[in-house]
Amino acid sequence: MGVTGIGGFFFRAHDPEMLGAWYAEHLGVGSGTGGPWQTAAGPLVFAPFPATSDYFPEDRGFMLNFRVDDLDALSARLTAAGIDVVTNPDWDMPGLGRFARIHDPEGNPIELWQPD
């Protein structure tokens, strides 16, 4: 018997209450109160990166990647809320999907992925 999925993602925050509310409001992630979040089934990539990788900021030990169903609509909503959304055609991969990047209020990198 092995691992069947990710049961949680825990990380430190300077203001956990504010950050939880930000994720709930802008991304629909979690409840903002620490309750379980029911996710849709789908692919999940678990991949350690070299310490010298420039795929996400060098001063961060992780980058969250969230699957989304409509990258354009979510990007527009985030932009309207004053959140900087960065896209780069070089990140998009035919057969895999499209990508955008944002940062949460504490500077944690987040990749948004709309699978093909």
Side-chain angles (χ1 to χ4, degrees):
M1 180 174 285
V3 173
T4 61
I6 290 182
F9 179 76
F10 309 99
F11 60 104
R12 298 181 196 283
H14 295 288
D15 188 342
E17 189 171 306
M18 176 279 301
L19 203 54
W22 184 90
Y23 276 89
E25 176 184 351
H26 296 291
L27 299 173
V29 174
S31 65
T33 61
W37 167 42
Q38 296 299 319
T39 63
L44 182 138
V45 177
F46 181 85
F49 277 63
T52 58
S53 174
D54 64 356
Y55 194 70
F56 54 91
E58 186 177 319
D59 67 333
R60 299 299 169 152
F62 67 90
M63 179 174 69
L64 289 169
N65 173 294
F66 291 124
R67 275 180 280 117
V68 304
D69 59 5
D70 189 338
L71 185 59
D72 295 329
L74 179 57
S75 294
R77 238 181 42 240
L78 293 169
T79 299
I83 298 167
D84 187 32
V85 179
V86 178
T87 59
N88 181 334
D90 292 338
W91 298 338
D92 299 342
M93 294 182 240
L96 186 60
R98 297 174 46 228
F99 298 86
R101 305 257 177 97
I102 63 173
H103 289 84
D104 73 19
E106 293 199 3
N108 297 308
I110 301 166
E111 184 171 65
L112 305 172
W113 167 38
Q114 180 178 322
D116 277 347

